[in-house]
Amino acid sequence: MSASPKLNAVLTRIAHAEKAAGRAAGSTTLVAVSKLQVWEDIAPVWEAGHRVYGENRVQEAMTRWRDRRADIELRLIGPLQSNKAREAVGFFDVIETLDREKLLHALADEVQKQGKAPRLYVQVNTGEEPQKAGVWPKDADAFIALARKAFTIEGLMCIPPADGPPGPHFALLGRIAARNGLERLSMGMSGDFETAVRFGATSVRVGSALFSHRL
Ligand SMILES: *Cc1c(COP(=O)(O)O)cnc(C)c1O
């Protein structure tokens, strides 16, 4: 695992955070966010053997990963338009941004048609920011219940507000998950993934700490 010093550094920081939190080693999945990266920057992480990647646009992900698709776990972490449901169900292993009824129905239709279902996370807008996607915390229980009529929901995802401490948002996501019997939490990015691990993240989405030159 020497091809990418940055990957090693992030994995080491995750391991320390797990240990400090009294969590099992390896209980946090690193999702390497490859959006807007050129292959030269992704290559060292790829060559080091990392195989879980996150992308926030369907078309861009298809272009970047088409040739290596069979070898990776690919997660959609950006907002999904209902009219892209077909491509998203066809191409991604995990969709982390389910957040509204229209999208729920579009995904259910595609799963029916394609006979394959992605693993799904409900995105919660913990900061109640109008410009951001995600169900609001007060609507989360009802939406999760609705989504479960069509799908197995694997967990919850959030993106805390850019300013202010993320801890309370991670804690809120954890509470919503716990009361709904969900065990997976996708939370934490380059600036706060160790905090997220402390609050129980089962996957962290890290881009800039792994790759240098976002386009
Ligand atoms: C870009 C992005 C990330 C990665 O952010 P970094 O700060 O570069 O680690 C994580 N999650 C989502 C939803 C993103 O869009």
Side-chain angles (χ1 to χ4, degrees), residues 119-139:
R119 291 150 53 201
L120 288 172
Y121 285 66
V122 169
Q123 182 177 356
V124 182
N125 187 348
T126 56
E128 303 184 5
E129 296 173 281
Q131 81 282 11
K132 233 174 226 171
V135 293
W136 285 36
K138 68 172 170 50
D139 302 325

Side-chain angles (χ1 to χ4, degrees), residues 151-191:
F151 295 111
T152 300
I153 299 299
E154 181 166 302
L156 302 180
M157 177 270 213
C158 77
I159 310 169
D163 49 348
H169 296 273
F170 297 153
L172 173 59
L173 197 71
R175 286 197 302 276
I176 296 170
R179 72 178 181 238
N180 285 283
L182 293 166
E183 285 171 5
R184 302 289 177 101
L185 298 171
S186 168
M187 56 191 198
M189 318 197 329
S190 290

Side-chain angles (χ1 to χ4, degrees), residues 80-183:
L80 177 59
Q81 307 291 323
S82 315
N83 63 11
K84 295 268 173 62
R86 183 169 59 83
E87 286 95 332
V89 167
F91 202 68
F92 286 87
D93 298 297
V94 184
I95 295 174
E96 298 201 359
T97 50
L98 174 58
D99 67 348
R100 60 199 191 280
E101 216 174 319
K102 189 178 177 200
L103 180 58
L104 179 65
H105 295 312
L107 290 173
D109 283 351
E110 280 308 321
V111 166
Q112 191 81 38
K113 279 186 201 144
Q114 298 186 29
K116 71 190 271 267
R119 291 150 53 201
L120 288 172
Y121 285 66
V122 169
Q123 182 177 356
V124 182
N125 187 348
T126 56
E128 303 184 5
E129 296 173 281
Q131 81 282 11
K132 233 174 226 171
V135 293
W136 285 36
K138 68 172 170 50
D139 302 325
D141 293 357
F143 186 73
I144 292 164
L146 183 71
R148 279 175 154 169
K149 290 184 178 165
F151 295 111
T152 300
I153 299 299
E154 181 166 302
L156 302 180
M157 177 270 213
C158 77
I159 310 169
D163 49 348
H169 296 273
F170 297 153
L172 173 59
L173 197 71
R175 286 197 302 276
I176 296 170
R179 72 178 181 238
N180 285 283
L182 293 166
E183 285 171 5

